[in-house]
């Protein structure tokens, strides 16, 4: 018996085709994972089932849910089904809730919209729904507002709203992408439990093969609006047929070849670093408090080494990055590059700063849209006392662009002419142009699709070997860190709680927090690499 | 909530203090001797001395400022030089025209703007929306005093529905007084209503494109329910800001519109005072208007907190 | 960009209207249908005719010529007021954003709040009370009111730009706040400033007309639209054309500038569809 049957679904937005002949089914109690990179149409498939499509979208084909063809239902009929027969959870919990309505009211609304019950009864049932998503009333009163909750807690409220009427189908569109890995694990467990308890079908959309592999009974792999392969999990992993599926799987577990061996001389030495922030004063005459973002952190990076720094959001890793780069002064401890302090006499030391560069996460926000590539890439020349001029400058720009796999002619283009992966190459070219010793990669591959990510990781490994670069690789993604670093630091609440050789830390973590992180990290099933 | 209101209250007092200082310095200190200025070139020495005494010009700047502020706090705005009557009396008399006029206009503007803005936003891109946007485009561009003159031409001179100007007086009863304020209030309200309609519409459209609206739709709410239950209250935050700002424009606009309709309000008073060089009256009226603007903005800040729990702070 | 501009109806109409009035003001320097200084009492308050397309005023002056010369006053006052507002407001906004949360930021923002409590009419009243009426008053009064408008807009936009990674990259390249503001912040707020500039330009024309109407702006014999309306008021039943045409001039100029502002905003950022306040 099937609960949801999608058959030959086509979708176009303003006559621009998005989905082509998509077909798959979801049975009651079954978890179906839909995987794809950006532009694969996976989210549009989910929205098509809910019929919450953007203006100008036109769907054809059949989407049979609980015996009704959703494609041909009228808007009032759809409103009767949404929230009652099908519920949906979205990616961004921070903005998914009405900021000025209490969580109790928002959950109760699902019930009040569909059933003629008193407000008191709806609130009572909202209380039950919130308790089911592990937000018990004694700790999370119904009168709480969204801004008083964390991202994970907000996502639980969204789930409570979606399951309050025990729908037959729950759709979760990247429900944990915006969350930390430990929170992600908890939300995934919660979703699994709800599926078991209610026997509902779960359609789970994700870009992350590992997240879905853990959860789903059945996998659907999409690309460019088409289903390329589908089958039961985990069996599908062992006998993938389509080249794209195979490539996706290979990219997800890609291990770049790194030949260079780290030397014994330390390059960056961080000793007892403390970074305090002033917090808002309490009351009008109150004293401003302090928040210790980085608490007595010490470590060193050897020349030629690739060091990983992992931790969840808010652990202080970004603050530490800014301190190393000399953007902010520290309140205690020293940071030295090759024996030279980053800060001297309350001023950043230019001689040190020109020896390190950084690559940021967001390939779209990292470049001034009004400058051409040559100007973007040559910006770090500002750190040199005598920046190269004329042909020397042109040659340096060309060399930097070529070293990241672009052509010298790209210098005349603007940044919007490049794809996300190409932009990240330009960001690396910008970091390379003054030939630094240390490059800090601040979540540099986190925003990229897995296949692009594999290419960038290869490029970084290759550059590291050729130019003898040292990397500080900062990431929340443990699986990437495992693939590309020699040693790893684990940071929690401003402190380094564990450090060691990457393979050792991953094999035998000693600190409970590291163990917790590793346990929470979704893993692909073991399979024979063919 | 209490802490938030207290904080706003402190900033209200600071704003008032600084504003009063600015007005005081601009009018009494910068131009030199106000007494000589007010009396003109041919002033007699003894009249000048008498006026200086009356104005309290013989103290230091600080003393004069403190006595001016102290006087206002106790309701003593000084005595008009030209009319020889207490300024407080003159102002309160005129205020009974200017304040009702501004409030009348604000009410009209809000009553027009809310339904029009919601209507246009809920039918975005339709003929209704285009019509509302076209009319408000004109409303924003029209000079209100010219619009007032056109209304006088049509409704007073040609149709004779209203009198062309003057004020019936409250002692004649509420209706005649309101009637004589109606054309001025419409003239004042039209541009403000246009602005407010556009703000209301765009704020609603912005809110309707937010994530939480989609979440609400996923619960099974219709477009209409989403608009009324979720979008409207969230959209109120920028709208409140504009209503607060409009009050100051309405007070200022009232001064000009009173001129068109020969209404004996604060506007007439201030222009008479300017031509008579009666600085005390000018200073008091300006201070009063600035006071009104600052207090209204305080009220708007408090209204924010009522709408938005994030401003009330954590419990 | 230019093709997109030509298909934007609001922009084309707005630009055309604005150019008509700017053109009229410029032409008036070399030619007007009739000298605005010359009175012709026998022909006073004549309705539109072949000799006087828009009729004559209470001194027999040609209203078309008066409107052309009056456009100079309106445009000059509004433009200078926008220049004052941008010239002071933009640097203040950039500085406040660069030093976010500092004492400087606090002082600039509280100062802005304070100026917002003084509508330009009140500033004009204060200046006139002390120095007497003149067109300069109108410029100063409207200009001062424009400062916080541009300061707030610039600060708001700059604050969000300061959180961009490209600004962080510039800091990593050792660039200071002034250089970053000039190279990375200002160029990315210019579009917003141009749009706001046209809006403040149109508001300035409205404000100048209102100030001149109540006698706080341009003084006779300088022709100005507000002044013309003030003169027409007592004769409105006898010669309505005296009131209608100058008012239409104000309305169409302001409408043109507003449409141009809307059009420019759509052109610069088609994704964001905001409506002017």
């Amino acid at each position: 018996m099937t609960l949801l049957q999608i058959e030959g679904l086509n979708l176009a937005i303003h006559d621009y085709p998005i989905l082509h002949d998509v077909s798959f089914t979801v049975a009651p109690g079954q978890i179906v994972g839909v995987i794809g990179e950006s532009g694969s149409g996976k989210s549009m498939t989910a929205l098509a089932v809910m019929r919450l499509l953007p203006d100008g979208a036109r769907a054809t084909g059949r989407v049979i849910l609980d015996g009704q063809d959703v494609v041909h239902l009228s808007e009032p009929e759809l409103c009767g089904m949404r929230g009652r027969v099908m519920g949906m959870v979205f990616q961004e919990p921070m903005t998914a809730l009405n900021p000025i309505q209490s969580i109790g009211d928002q959950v109760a609304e699902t019930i009040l919209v569909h059933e003629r019950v008193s407000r008191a009864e709806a609130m009572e049932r909202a209380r039950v729904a919130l308790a089911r998503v592990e937000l018990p009333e004694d700790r999370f009163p119904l009168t709480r507002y969204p801004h008083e909750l964390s991202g994970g807690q907000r996502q639980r409220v969204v789930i409570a709203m979606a399951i309050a009427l025990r729908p037959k189908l729950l759709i979760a569109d990247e429900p944990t992408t915006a969350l930390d890995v430990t929170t992600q694990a908890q939300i995934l467990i919660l979703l699994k439990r709800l599926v078991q308890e209610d026997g509902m079908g779960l359609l789970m959309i994700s870009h992350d093969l590992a997240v879905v592999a853990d959860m789903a009974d059945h996998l659907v792999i999409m690309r460019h609006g088409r289903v390329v392969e589908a089958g039961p999990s985990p069996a599908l992993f062992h006998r993938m047929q389509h080249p794209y599926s195979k490539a996706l799987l290979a990219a997800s577990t890609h291990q770049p070849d790194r030949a260079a061996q780290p030397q014994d001389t330390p390059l960056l030495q961080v000793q007892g670093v403390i970074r305090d922030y002033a917090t808002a004063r309490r009351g009008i005459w109150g004293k401003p408090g302090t928040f210790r973002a980085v608490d007595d952190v010490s470590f060193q990076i050897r020349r030629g080494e690739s060091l990983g720094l992992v931790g969840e959001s808010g652990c202080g890793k970004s603050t530490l990055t800014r301190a190393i780069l000399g953007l902010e002064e520290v309140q205690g401890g020293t940071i030295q590059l090759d024996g030279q302090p980053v800060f001297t006499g309350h001023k950043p030391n230019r001689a040190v700063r020109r020896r390190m560069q950084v690559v940021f996460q967001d390939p779209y926000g990292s470049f001034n849209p009004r400058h051409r590539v040559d100007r973007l890439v040559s910006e770090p020349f500002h750190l040199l006392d005598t920046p190269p001029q004329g042909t020397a400058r042109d040659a340096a720009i060309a060399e930097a662009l070529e070293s990241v796999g672009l052509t010298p002619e790209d210098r005349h283009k603007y940044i919007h002419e490049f794809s996300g992966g190409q932009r990240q190459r330009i960001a690396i070219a910008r970091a390379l142009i003054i030939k630094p010793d240390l490059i800090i990669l601040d979540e540099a591959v986190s925003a990229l699709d897995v296949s692009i990510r594999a290419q960038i990781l290869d490029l970084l490994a290759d550059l590291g070997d050729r130019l003898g670069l040292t990397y500080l690789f900062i990431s929340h993604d443990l699986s990437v860190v495992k693939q590309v670093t020699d040693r790893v630091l684990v940071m929690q609440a401003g402190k380094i709680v564990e450090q060691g050789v990457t393979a050792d830390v991953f094999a035998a973590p000693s600190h409970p927090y590291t163990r917790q992180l590793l346990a929470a990290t979704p893993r692909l099933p073991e399979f024979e690499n063919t | 909530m209490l802490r938030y209101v207290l904080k706003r209250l402190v900033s209200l007092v600071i704003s008032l203090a600084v504003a009063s200082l600015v007005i005081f310095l601009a009018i009494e200190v910068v131009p030199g001797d106000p007494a000589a200025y007010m009396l003109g070139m041919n002033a007699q020495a003894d009249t000048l001395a008498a006026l200086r005494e009356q104005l309290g010009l013989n103290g230091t700047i600080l003393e004069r400022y403190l006595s001016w502020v102290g006087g206002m706090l106790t309701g003593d705005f000084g005595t008009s030089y030209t009319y020889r009557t207490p300024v407080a009396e003159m102002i309160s008399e005129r205020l009974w025209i200017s304040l009702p006029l501004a409030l009348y206009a604000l009410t009209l503007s809000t009553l027009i703007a809310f339904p029009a803005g919601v209507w246009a936003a809920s039918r975005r891109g339709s003929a209704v929306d285009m019509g509302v946007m076209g009319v408000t485009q004109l409303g924003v561009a029209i000079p209100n005093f010219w619009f007032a003159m056109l209304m006088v031409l049509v409704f007073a001179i040609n149709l004779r529905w209203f009198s062309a100007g003057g004020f019936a007086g409250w002692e004649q009863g509420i209706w005649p007084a309101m009637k004589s304020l109606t054309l001025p209030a419409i003239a004042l309200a039209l541009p403000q209503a246009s602005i407010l309609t556009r703000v209301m519409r765009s704020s609603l459209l912005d809110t309707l494109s937010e994530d939480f609206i989609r979440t609400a739709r996923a619960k099974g709410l219709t477009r209409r329910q989403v608009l009324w239950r979720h979008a409207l209250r969230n959209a109120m935050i920028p709208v409140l800001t504009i209503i607060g700002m409009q009050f100051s424009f309405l007070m200022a606009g009232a001064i000009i519109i009173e001129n068109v309709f020969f209404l004996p309000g604060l506007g007439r008073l201030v222009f008479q005072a300017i031509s008579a060089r009666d600085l005390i009256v000018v200073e008091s009226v300006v201070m009063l208007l600035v006071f009104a603007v600052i207090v209204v903005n305080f009220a708007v800040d408090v209204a924010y907190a009522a709408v938005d729990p994030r401003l009330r702070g954590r419990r | 960009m230019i093709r997109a501009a030509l298909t934007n109806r609001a922009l084309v109409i707005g630009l055309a209207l604005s150019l008509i009035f700017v053109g009229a003001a410029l032409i008036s320097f070399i030619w007007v249908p009739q000298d605005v200084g010359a009175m012709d009492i026998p022909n006073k308050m004549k309705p539109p005719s072949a000799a006087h397309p828009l009729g004559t005023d209470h001194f027999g002056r040609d209203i078309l010529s008066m409107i052309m010369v009056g456009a100079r006053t309106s445009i000059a006052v509004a433009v200078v007021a926008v220049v004052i507002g941008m010239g002071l407001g933009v640097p203040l906004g950039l500085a406040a954003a660069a030093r976010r949360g500092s004492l400087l930021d606090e002082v600039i923002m509280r100062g802005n709040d304070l100026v917002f409590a003084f509508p330009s009419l009140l500033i004009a009243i204060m200046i006139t009370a002390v120095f007497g009426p003149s067109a300069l008053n109108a410029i100063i009064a409207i200009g001062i009111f424009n400062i916080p408008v541009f300061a707030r807009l610039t600060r708001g936009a700059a604050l969000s730009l300061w959180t961009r990674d490209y600004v962080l990259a510039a800091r990593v390249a050792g660039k200071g706040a002034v250089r970053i503001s000039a190279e990375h912040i200002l160029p990315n707020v210019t579009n917003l400033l141009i749009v706001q500039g046209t809006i403040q330009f149109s508001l300035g024309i409205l404000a100048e007309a209102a100030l001149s109407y109540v006698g706080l702006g341009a003084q006779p014999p300088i022709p100005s639209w507000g002044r013309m309306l003030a003169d027409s008021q007592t004769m409105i039943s006898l010669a309505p054309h005296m009131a209608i045409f100058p008012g239409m001039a104000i309305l169409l100029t302001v409408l043109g500038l507003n449409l141009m502002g809307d059009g420019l905003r759509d052109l610069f950022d088609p994704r964001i569809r905001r409506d002017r306040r």
Side-chain angles (χ1 to χ4, degrees):
Chain A
M1 191 203 134
T2 55
L3 168 67
L4 172 71
Q5 185 179 1
I6 301 179
E7 250 182 55
L9 175 67
N10 289 294
L11 180 80
I13 298 179
H14 296 298
D15 296 328
Y16 181 80
I18 305 284
L19 297 179
H20 311 269
D21 195 24
V22 171
S23 304
F24 61 88
T25 60
V26 182
Q30 190 187 32
I31 301 179
V32 173
V34 178
I35 305 154
E37 296 184 294
S38 42
S40 63
K42 57 191 190 301
S43 290
M44 277 300 157
T45 309
L47 291 174
V49 175
M50 292 294 285
R51 280 281 303 275
L52 285 174
L53 292 163
D55 288 341
R58 228 168 46 85
T60 56
R62 303 208 305 158
V63 178
I64 312 236
L65 173 65
D66 197 26
Q68 307 238 50
D69 189 349
V70 173
V71 173
H72 297 108
L73 287 183
S74 69
E75 182 61 27
E77 288 168 317
L78 286 164
C79 283
M81 286 182 80
R82 291 185 200 121
R84 193 172 57 79
V85 183
M86 52 189 177
M88 184 157 179
V89 178
F90 300 93
Q91 175 172 358
E92 197 35 80
M94 299 315 269
T95 53
L97 292 169
N98 184 341
I100 61 172
Q101 212 178 46
S102 72
I103 59 171
D105 283 336
Q106 295 194 50
V107 177
E109 189 174 36
T110 308
I111 298 152
L112 287 166
V113 167
H114 294 285
E115 294 181 13
R116 295 188 158 273
V117 294
S118 71
R119 209 185 109 82
E121 194 193 328
M123 282 310 253
E124 183 49 45
R125 287 168 65 182
R127 185 171 294 129
V128 174
L130 282 167
R132 287 188 72 207
V133 298
E134 291 146 29
L135 294 176
E137 201 197 357
D138 51 335
R139 281 174 50 225
F140 302 96
L142 300 182
T143 51
R144 283 281 174 91
Y145 286 98
H147 71 274
E148 298 169 306
L149 303 177
S150 71
Q153 290 161 352
R154 291 187 205 193
Q155 196 64 309
R156 287 171 190 270
V157 176
V158 177
I159 295 172
M161 284 165 32
I163 57 121
L165 289 170
R166 303 191 183 235
K168 294 183 174 158
L169 176 70
L170 181 65
I171 301 174
D173 185 4
E174 305 262 11
T176 58
T177 305
L179 303 173
D180 278 326
V181 55
T182 46
T183 319
Q184 161 168 294
Q186 292 162 4
I187 296 284
L188 294 177
I189 291 169
L190 170 69
L191 287 171
K192 246 179 174 163
R193 199 195 79 214
L194 292 170
V195 166
Q196 279 167 7
E197 285 175 6
D198 293 359
M200 66 183 171
L202 173 63
L203 179 60
M204 172 130 162
I205 315 286
S206 181
H207 69 285
D208 190 335
L209 208 51
V211 165
V212 182
D214 256 8
M215 288 269 293
D217 308 313
H218 195 89
L219 287 178
V220 176
I221 300 172
M222 288 185 72
R223 185 197 194 193
H224 299 332
R226 285 179 215 281
V227 174
V228 295
E229 189 149 10
S233 173
L236 184 69
F237 285 100
H238 299 286
R239 44 180 175 77
M240 277 187 174
Q241 298 296 319
H242 196 279
Y244 176 72
S245 318
K246 288 181 183 167
L248 193 67
L249 185 61
S252 303
T253 53
H254 182 71
Q255 182 95 40
D257 292 327
R258 294 171 49 240
Q261 288 299 310
Q263 300 165 12
D264 280 337
T265 44
L267 179 65
L268 181 78
Q269 289 170 291
V270 175
Q271 196 63 50
V273 162
I274 290 171
R275 179 77 180 90
D276 290 331
Y277 283 107
T279 53
R281 48 186 79 221
R282 295 186 61 77
I284 301 155
W285 292 277
K287 276 195 182 142
T290 56
F291 170 70
R292 184 152 289 186
V294 174
D295 188 0
D296 192 18
V297 164
S298 304
F299 65 90
Q300 45 176 281
I301 310 181
R302 290 174 297 162
R303 206 173 264 284
E305 188 178 36
S306 174
L307 179 73
L309 174 61
V310 296
E312 296 184 294
S313 53
C315 74
K317 55 187 196 297
S318 308
T319 310
L320 183 60
T321 313
R322 284 197 296 273
I324 294 172
L325 287 167
L327 297 176
E328 287 168 11
E329 202 176 354
V330 295
Q331 276 66 50
T334 55
I335 302 173
Q336 292 181 324
L337 188 81
D338 228 0
Q340 303 262 324
V342 166
F343 248 81
T344 41
H346 301 289
K347 275 208 163 130
N349 184 345
R350 272 166 63 88
V352 170
R353 287 178 81 172
R354 70 178 63 130
R355 294 178 58 189
M356 41 190 189
Q357 280 295 306
V358 62
V359 177
F360 298 109
Q361 171 175 8
D362 179 12
Y364 295 89
S366 293
F367 302 97
N368 187 336
R370 301 192 162 265
H371 293 170
R372 289 178 199 274
V373 166
D374 57 349
R375 189 165 174 196
L376 294 171
V377 167
S378 60
E379 186 160 43
F381 279 156
H382 187 72
L383 282 168
L384 301 181
D385 296 325
T386 49
Q389 304 286 338
T391 50
R393 178 175 173 274
D394 290 350
I397 292 168
E399 189 193 337
L401 288 174
E402 279 174 335
S403 68
V404 297
L406 296 168
T407 63
E409 284 68 48
D410 288 328
R411 63 194 301 166
H412 303 298
K413 294 185 185 162
Y414 286 100
I415 198 68
H416 65 81
E417 298 172 59
F418 296 92
S419 70
Q422 287 173 321
R423 288 179 200 209
Q424 217 55 342
R425 287 173 189 269
I426 295 170
I428 296 169
R430 173 168 65 187
L432 288 176
I433 200 159
I434 49 169
K435 307 204 180 326
D437 298 314
L438 173 67
I439 293 187
I440 299 180
L441 302 162
D442 187 359
E443 304 274 5
V445 297
S446 302
L448 304 174
D449 278 328
V450 279
S451 47
I452 308 288
R453 184 169 77 192
Q455 292 167 14
I456 297 289
L457 290 176
D458 279 341
L459 172 67
L460 288 170
D462 176 48
L463 289 170
D465 292 347
R466 275 197 291 137
L467 306 174
L469 294 170
T470 306
Y471 291 123
L472 175 57
F473 195 100
I474 298 167
S475 182
H476 69 281
D477 187 339
L478 275 76
S479 56
V480 176
V481 169
K482 186 181 176 186
Q483 290 158 21
V484 300
T485 62
D486 303 309
R487 281 193 312 129
V488 66
L489 311 174
V490 181
M491 196 166 180
Q492 183 196 20
K495 286 189 161 71
I496 305 285
V497 295
E498 178 160 4
Q499 53 178 307
V501 174
T502 305
D504 298 348
V505 171
F506 276 76
S510 61
H511 194 275
Y513 178 68
T514 316
R515 267 177 258 157
Q516 198 188 335
L517 274 183
L518 281 171
T521 304
R523 231 165 309 190
L524 284 165
E526 296 296 324
F527 59 94
E528 305 84 59
N529 230 335
T530 44
Chain B
M1 179 81 188
L2 190 67
R3 169 177 287 161
Y4 174 81
V5 173
L6 272 176
K7 244 171 131 171
R8 293 282 108 202
L9 209 57
V10 169
S11 104
L12 167 96
V13 171
I14 295 172
S15 304
L16 283 176
V18 179
S20 66
L21 195 63
V22 168
I23 294 169
F24 175 81
L25 290 176
I27 291 188
E28 287 205 24
V29 177
V30 176
D33 185 352
Y37 174 79
M38 284 162 73
L39 289 173
M41 303 293 243
N42 315 317
Q44 304 287 322
D46 52 336
T47 16
L48 193 64
L51 181 65
R52 289 183 63 87
E53 180 64 26
Q54 187 202 335
L55 293 174
L57 288 182
N58 294 326
T60 64
I61 290 176
L62 187 66
E63 279 169 16
R64 281 162 53 197
Y65 172 68
L66 289 179
S67 86
W68 178 60
V69 170
M72 282 193 301
L73 289 176
T74 55
D76 174 12
F77 286 65
T79 307
S80 156
Y81 172 70
T82 32
Y83 296 90
R84 313 248 171 222
T85 47
V87 175
E89 253 173 53
M90 295 169 65
I91 287 182
S92 64
E93 209 175 280
R94 309 300 183 103
L95 204 55
W96 274 106
I97 295 171
S98 296
L99 193 62
L101 176 56
L103 291 176
Y104 192 175
L106 191 65
T107 312
L108 277 181
S109 147
T110 316
L111 286 181
I112 296 168
F114 269 64
V118 174
W119 198 27
S122 65
R123 287 176 178 59
R124 181 173 163 215
S126 69
V128 166
D129 187 21
M130 310 272 266
V132 168
M133 290 306 278
V135 170
T136 54
Q137 188 71 265
L138 276 179
V140 172
I142 207 165
N144 58 8
F145 62 95
W146 181 60
F147 182 60
M149 287 164 63
L150 294 184
M151 283 202 299
V152 168
L153 185 64
V154 175
F155 296 108
I157 296 173
N158 290 340
L159 297 172
R160 296 184 181 281
W161 291 354
F162 293 90
S163 67
F167 182 62
W170 293 105
E171 59 282 356
Q172 304 286 317
I174 287 188
W175 292 118
M178 290 294 277
K179 196 178 169 193
S180 41
L181 291 182
T182 296
L183 286 186
I186 293 175
L188 265 177
L190 177 87
Q192 305 300 331
S194 303
I195 295 170
L196 203 58
T197 304
R198 293 174 85 86
V199 174
M200 184 83 217
R201 172 183 175 276
S202 69
S203 175
L204 254 180
L205 288 178
D206 284 351
T207 313
L208 281 170
S209 67
E210 298 229 24
D211 280 358
F212 67 82
I213 295 296
R214 195 177 55 178
T215 316
R217 294 270 290 144
K219 286 196 270 190
L221 272 74
T222 62
R223 279 177 199 280
R224 241 187 129 70
Q225 286 171 322
V226 164
L227 180 83
W228 289 103
R229 295 190 197 172
H230 291 277
L232 203 58
R233 244 184 81 184
N234 276 286
M236 281 312 293
I237 292 163
V239 174
L240 277 174
T241 314
I242 301 299
I243 292 180
M245 277 174 63
Q246 292 211 326
F247 187 77
S248 66
F249 289 118
L250 285 172
M251 290 299 280
I255 290 178
I256 290 170
I257 291 294
E258 281 166 12
N259 245 32
V260 182
F261 293 93
F262 307 103
L263 291 173
L266 284 178
R268 305 286 293 170
L269 177 67
V270 88
F271 291 120
Q272 285 159 6
I274 286 176
S275 45
R277 300 185 161 193
D278 196 339
L279 291 184
I280 301 176
V281 172
V282 175
E283 188 179 53
S284 305
V285 174
V286 170
M287 186 63 223
L288 185 78
L289 292 176
V290 170
F291 173 81
V293 170
I294 292 175
V295 169
V296 166
N297 281 320
F298 164 75
V300 167
D301 280 346
V302 174
Y304 277 158
V307 173
D308 192 340
R310 285 165 293 188
L311 288 175
R312 281 176 236 152
R314 284 167 184 272
R315 270 161 289 189
Chain C
M1 183 94 172
I2 290 174
R3 274 228 338 246
L6 287 176
T7 56
N8 185 322
R9 218 165 20 161
L11 186 61
V12 172
I13 298 172
L15 199 62
L17 278 174
S18 311
L19 283 180
I20 287 173
F21 285 94
V22 172
L26 291 177
I27 291 170
S28 77
F29 281 106
I30 47 174
W31 175 81
V32 283
Q34 199 186 72
D35 180 15
V36 293
M39 296 189 189
D40 182 11
I41 303 294
N43 276 323
K44 67 175 187 179
M45 297 198 283
K46 283 279 188 297
S49 64
H52 301 286
L54 303 183
T56 60
D57 74 354
H58 56 305
F59 292 127
R61 293 175 295 187
D62 180 49
I63 289 183
L64 176 63
S65 310
M66 295 278 287
I67 286 178
M68 285 173 69
V69 180
R72 286 187 214 163
T73 319
S74 285
I75 291 169
V77 168
V79 166
V80 177
V82 169
V83 170
I84 292 174
M86 274 197 189
L88 292 170
V90 173
L92 284 175
L94 287 175
R99 293 275 173 267
R100 165 179 210 175
S102 68
L103 188 67
L104 179 75
D105 184 20
E106 189 69 14
V107 167
I108 291 174
M109 291 319 287
R110 292 291 82 77
N112 277 339
D113 289 349
L114 188 72
V115 178
F116 262 128
F118 290 83
S120 39
L121 182 75
L122 287 192
I123 301 175
I125 286 174
M126 280 162 51
I127 300 173
T128 310
V130 174
F131 297 107
S134 75
L136 190 65
N137 286 351
I139 292 179
I140 296 171
I142 302 166
I144 289 179
F145 195 74
N146 278 344
I147 296 171
V149 172
F150 285 105
R152 275 191 188 196
L153 180 80
T154 308
R155 178 177 178 273
L159 277 181
S160 81
L161 292 176
W162 270 97
T163 65
R164 299 282 172 90
D165 280 344
Y166 63 77
V167 170
L168 205 51
R171 291 177 60 200
V172 171
K175 293 183 176 171
V178 174
R179 206 185 173 98
I180 290 176
S181 292
E183 280 184 18
H184 292 293
I185 309 290
L186 189 58
N188 285 297
V189 297
T190 30
N191 284 351
L192 265 181
L193 291 176
I194 291 171
V195 170
Q196 192 65 37
T198 62
I199 291 167
Q200 293 310 117
F201 187 11
S202 79
L203 290 177
I205 287 187
L206 278 177
E208 189 277 333
L211 291 177
S212 297
Y213 168 74
V214 291
L216 298 179
Q219 296 300 304
I222 303 170
S224 89
W225 294 342
R227 197 76 237 159
M228 292 169 76
L229 288 174
D231 290 341
S232 76
Q233 195 179 342
T234 47
M235 283 152 266
I236 193 161
S237 52
L238 302 170
H241 68 272
M242 273 178 66
I244 288 169
F245 293 119
M248 288 300 287
I250 301 172
L251 174 66
L252 291 176
T253 311
V254 173
L255 187 66
L257 287 168
N258 286 347
L259 287 172
M260 195 165 92
D262 285 1
L264 283 175
R265 191 183 36 225
D266 290 350
L267 188 68
F268 290 148
D269 195 352
R271 285 163 300 147
I272 296 181
R273 164 218 76 250
R274 270 165 311 170
D275 299 278
R276 61 166 296 220
R277 308 269 145 102

